[in-house]
Amino acid sequence: PQGHTLHAVEFAGARGYAVGDFGTLLRTDDSGATWRGVSTGTVFDLTKLRAVDSNSVVIGSGCLLRRSDDGGVTFRRLLFTSSETSCPATITSFHFPTPQTGYLLLSDGTVVQTGNGGASFSGRQALPGTQATRPTGTAATPSDIFFTDATTGFALTSGPDGGKIYRTSDGGNTWFRQATSDQ
């Protein structure tokens, strides 16, 4: 009923969030029975979100990344790039396995990490075979990142030779390709 296309939904207990076009953020406190709009302070289309916990939510797309730690009452910009309107590589995926530790996977395969809830980010090893590690020729396309704890995570790429799964156990300092049944 709010009129904008929605792109992602995520829950932390009974509280859930959904993001969409024109800066749309919806929130439910009753397991999805009812939803209400939340002001994000942006009109950019939002395609990604992570509910870190019931009060902390990270939203973003393109060069924009914002975080609320009060259930969406206020948002602050997370400074992974100098501009929300233009950046060398856009957000492909992100994950916050803890309230303070988060990882961003960018469109060129770059991985950046925060240990302070997004106040600052530092570079980690880029995913093998992506544009960040193979600037010429055919490069794999990064597609997703997920961490099971503050240092152990997985990332996916796709390319002409199929999809690949990479694993890190040191917070993205090294990535190792995981064997799959089609290898």
Side-chain angles (χ1 to χ4, degrees):
Q2 45 72 42
H4 298 290
T5 300
L6 299 174
H7 298 285
V9 63
E10 191 156 316
F11 280 78
R15 181 169 286 172
Y17 300 91
V19 293
D21 290 350
F22 204 67
T24 298
L25 176 66
L26 302 176
R27 181 178 124 180
T28 179
D29 293 318
D30 56 11
S31 300
T34 61
W35 295 82
R36 66 177 178 86
V38 176
S39 176
T40 60
T42 185
V43 294
F44 289 111
D45 294 348
L46 300 171
T47 59
K48 312 277 186 231
L49 101 118
R50 292 289 183 187
V52 180
D53 58 38
S54 62
N55 286 316
S56 298
V57 62
V58 180
I59 59 174
S61 70
C63 304
L64 177 138
L65 192 65
R66 295 190 180 182
R67 179 180 178 140
S68 174
D69 290 307
D70 56 13
V73 175
T74 60
F75 280 88
R76 64 182 166 93
R77 183 169 174 245
L78 302 186
L79 301 172
F80 80 97
T81 187
S82 61
S83 169
E84 286 186 331
T85 59
S86 176
C87 56
T90 58
I91 297 170
T92 295
S93 182
F94 57 86
H95 192 254
F96 280 75
T98 74
Q100 295 302 308
T101 304
Y103 295 86
L104 305 181
L105 175 60
L106 304 181
S107 59
D108 66 355
T110 298
V111 177
V112 295
Q113 185 260 354
T114 181
N116 55 17
S120 63
F121 288 86
S122 60
R124 294 296 184 253
Q125 181 65 40
L127 292 182
T130 60
Q131 184 180 359
T133 60
R134 186 187 295 169
T136 59
T138 304
T141 303
S143 58
D144 204 4
I145 197 164
F146 187 90
F147 276 73
T148 58
D149 59 38
T151 58
T152 305
F154 298 86
L156 304 177
T157 63
S158 62
D161 55 349
K164 293 183 175 49
I165 300 171
Y166 292 93
R167 181 179 190 272
T168 183
S169 58
D170 59 8
N173 290 315
T174 56
W175 292 95
F176 297 97
R177 185 172 171 198
Q178 300 297 283
T180 57
S181 62
D182 67 337
Q183 293 180 324

